[in-house]
Amino acid sequence: MNRHALTLFELNSLVSDVIDTAFDHAYWVEAELSEAREVRGHCYMELIQKDIFSATPVARASAKCWKTTWTRLKPKFEHTTGQQLHAGMKVMLLVTANFHAAYGFSWIVQDIDPTYTLGDMARKRMEIIRQLKEEGVFDLQKELAMPMFTQRVAVISSENAAGYGDFCHQLHENDYGFVFQTQLFPAIMQGDQVEPTVISALNDIYNNVDDYDVVVIIRGGGATADLSGFDTLALAENVANFPLPIVTGIGHDRDESILDMVSHTRVKTPTAAAALLVDHLAGVWSHIESLLERITGHVQQRMEAEWARLDRVSERIPILFSLVKERQGAKLQRVMTDIANSIKEQLTREQHKVTMLTNTIRPLTEKRLTTEHNRLEQLTLRAKALDPERLLKRGYSITLLHGKALHDPSAVREGDVIETKVEKGMLTSIIHLGNSSHHK
């Protein structure tokens, strides 16, 4: 069986002819970008449509915007929306069908309606704002007070951004000579990585939150487009709940981002953020100087009043001293008279007591002496009656053992020497417990 086969190019060319015939005009299409990239001036997009209930893709397509068209559409879109094309963005495109024999089918973008994207962005922003207000965190930053001496600054920015350098120069080279301490917490300030990197920087600051007075989030030196990363719920919640005041200066003139809305203070540029901190400290310094002047004035007035009062008192001192001297002299005379009278009265009372004691002591002493004399005579008679010499004269004797009177014969032992004292002398004897004794 003979078959006539087409080449792939021939087949694709037929398809191209059919598409060119069937889709002979442009179509407006609503879609979400799953990818958008520029290559050599051309913009390549991947379009997607998701199921409204499950978010599952139900349609996909590729789209291209050639350089000549993209050069015209890009600045208009970014100026209107303030953002670059990025994944997740809703767009409305004017497209024509194109089937290339070598590269297949794609939609060719002829125009973009930025107002559609702007409306979708506004809807998302309003939804995030509504949720933040329902959570009660939308105005939390506004309730914080900027510390009086705001000098320790945590900066969240891109390390190599020109805006960060401008901020540091403006801050440290201020006209007042104020000293600030800054520490950079690097983050990506453009594109899809804004949210996770800024939240990570906030977490690092929170871990040492007592080391800082304020947080400054700045972005500068780049395009004003692609700021969608600052319009996310997660980033807004982190900023709104942060315990330190947060100043934003992300460098754009369009409507405020959600990050700007929930921050403590929003300024347009990094240099404006630095100027804000310098002006705040200058206001504090001015207030201190004002208080110093008031204190100095009050002290001066008080000193003048006290000097005047001192002068008046000094004038009255001689008169007051004379009066006091007279009063104290009279008082001293009265005290001396009272003391002299008291001493006389006391001496009279004591002299009377001495006289009475003298009259009482004499008869008592004489009586006591008589009693003791009689007692002494009785003791003398008794002592004479008990005198051993008198007993010896009457024929009695006293036996001594070891110089002591012997009362019990059983107290002596064989060979003991005893002495017998009689009126005319002393007898010495040696004890023999046998039948004889020796006497001297």
Side-chain angles (χ1 to χ4, degrees):
M1 184 176 179
N2 294 327
R3 298 176 179 175
H4 177 69
L6 298 175
T7 65
L8 180 59
F9 181 81
E10 291 172 334
L11 180 61
N12 283 351
S13 295
L14 288 174
V15 173
S16 177
D17 293 339
V18 171
I19 290 176
D20 289 342
T21 302
F23 298 91
D24 59 350
H25 62 278
Y27 301 88
W28 283 104
V29 60
E30 299 175 357
E32 179 180 330
L33 295 175
S34 64
E35 184 180 347
R37 67 187 187 280
E38 288 188 46
V39 180
R40 294 188 295 275
H42 309 296
C43 183
Y44 296 87
M45 311 173 200
E46 294 296 326
L47 309 180
I48 193 172
Q49 179 181 342
K50 297 178 181 178
D51 182 83
I52 59 174
F53 299 106
S54 64
T56 302
V58 296
R60 294 179 182 273
S62 296
K64 301 180 180 68
C65 187
W66 302 125
K67 182 177 181 179
T68 54
T69 306
W70 181 240
T71 302
R72 174 177 51 86
L73 296 181
K74 177 181 178 181
K76 176 184 175 182
F77 179 85
E78 292 182 353
H79 176 75
T80 303
T81 64
Q83 296 192 26
Q84 295 175 343
L85 288 178
H86 61 82
M89 178 179 282
K90 294 286 186 68
V91 292
M92 180 177 286
L93 308 173
L94 180 64
V95 297
T96 57
N98 176 263
F99 189 89
H100 192 279
Y103 301 109
F105 181 83
S106 64
W107 295 103
I108 305 302
V109 178
Q110 306 296 335
D111 198 359
I112 304 176
D113 183 2
T115 59
Y116 174 83
T117 301
L118 196 61
D120 182 68
M121 290 165 49
R123 181 189 59 79
K124 290 181 179 178
R125 282 160 51 87
M126 292 302 296
E127 178 62 23
I128 292 174
I129 292 170
R130 181 193 62 79
Q131 187 168 345
L132 291 171
K133 289 183 176 180
E134 286 184 356
E135 293 174 1
V137 301
F138 189 79
D139 294 317
L140 285 182
Q141 274 280 312
K142 303 295 189 297
E143 297 174 3
L144 297 177
M146 189 77 75
M148 181 174 291
F149 297 98
T150 304
Q151 295 175 277
R152 302 174 301 168
V153 185
V155 184
I156 299 177
S157 181
S158 175
E159 186 171 6
N160 298 319
Y164 172 62
D166 294 341
F167 171 82
C168 291
H169 181 269
Q170 180 85 2
L171 193 65
H172 296 300
E173 302 299 326
N174 64 85
D175 296 335
Y176 300 93
F178 296 144
V179 177
F180 293 88
Q181 295 87 42
T182 58
Q183 181 171 347
L184 175 66
F185 292 83
I188 297 174
M189 305 305 289
Q190 184 170 317
D192 296 338
Q193 293 302 306
V194 170
E195 177 189 293
T197 57
V198 172
I199 290 176
S200 176
L202 287 172
N203 290 336
D204 291 341
I205 297 170
Y206 183 79
N207 291 335
N208 297 283
V209 69
D210 292 336
D211 294 338
Y212 308 100
D213 302 314
V214 68
V215 178
V216 175
I217 302 176
I218 53 176
R219 172 187 183 272
T224 58
D226 200 11
L227 295 168
S228 59
F230 298 102
D231 283 336
T232 68
L233 177 63
L235 179 56
E237 288 176 332
N238 274 269
V239 169
N241 287 286
F242 205 74
L244 294 179
I246 294 180
V247 177
T248 57
I250 54 180
H252 62 95
D253 294 325
R254 69 177 179 84
D255 293 339
E256 287 182 309
S257 69
I258 295 177
L259 180 68
D260 291 325
M261 293 179 184
V262 299
S263 67
H264 182 277
T265 306
R266 178 246 179 170
V267 293
K268 290 183 178 181
T269 63
T271 54
L276 173 72
L277 297 180
V278 173
D279 290 345
H280 173 74
L281 203 56
V284 172
W285 179 249
S286 177
H287 182 62
I288 292 174
E289 287 186 327
S290 175
L291 293 177
L292 181 61
E293 290 178 359
R294 290 175 58 186
I295 292 173
T296 303
H298 285 306
V299 171
Q300 186 174 356
Q301 291 178 2
R302 183 61 182 268
M303 289 183 65
E304 291 175 356
E306 292 301 322
W307 276 113
R309 190 169 69 88
L310 186 60
D311 289 340
R312 293 194 300 269
V313 172
S314 299
E315 293 173 357
R316 296 178 59 192
I317 285 177
I319 299 173
L320 293 175
F321 179 77
S322 177
L323 292 174
V324 170
K325 181 179 179 182
E326 292 178 1
R327 292 174 183 174
Q328 293 301 320
K331 183 178 180 181
L332 181 61
Q333 187 61 42
R334 290 195 299 272
V335 170
M336 291 177 64
T337 302
D338 292 342
I339 292 173
N341 292 335
S342 297
I343 292 174
K344 290 179 180 180
E345 292 177 359
Q346 185 68 23
L347 287 174
T348 301
R349 288 194 295 269
E350 295 302 325
Q351 187 175 5
H352 178 68
K353 288 172 65 176
V354 169
T355 301
M356 291 181 64
L357 288 173
T358 301
N359 295 333
T360 303
I361 288 172
R362 182 175 295 170
L364 290 175
T365 302
E366 292 177 352
K367 181 179 180 181
R368 181 63 178 269
L369 287 173
T370 302
T371 302
E372 292 302 322
H373 180 74
N374 293 335
R375 185 166 175 268
L376 181 60
E377 288 182 349
Q378 292 177 2
L379 289 175
T380 301
L381 294 174
R382 290 177 62 186
K384 288 181 178 179
L386 295 175
D387 186 1
E389 295 296 332
R390 295 183 64 185
L391 295 174
L392 292 176
K393 289 179 179 179
R394 293 170 61 185
Y396 292 97
S397 65
I398 299 173
T399 302
L400 304 173
L401 177 62
H402 305 309
K404 296 181 180 180
L406 180 63
H407 300 279
D408 185 0
S410 64
V412 299
R413 297 289 184 269
E414 177 75 21
D416 284 344
V417 178
I418 60 174
E419 296 174 333
T420 303
K421 186 176 182 180
V422 294
E423 180 184 3
K424 301 295 186 179
M426 181 78 71
L427 299 174
T428 301
S429 304
I430 297 175
I431 302 299
H432 294 283
L433 297 180
N435 293 323
S436 62
S437 300
H438 177 71
H439 301 280
K440 288 186 180 180

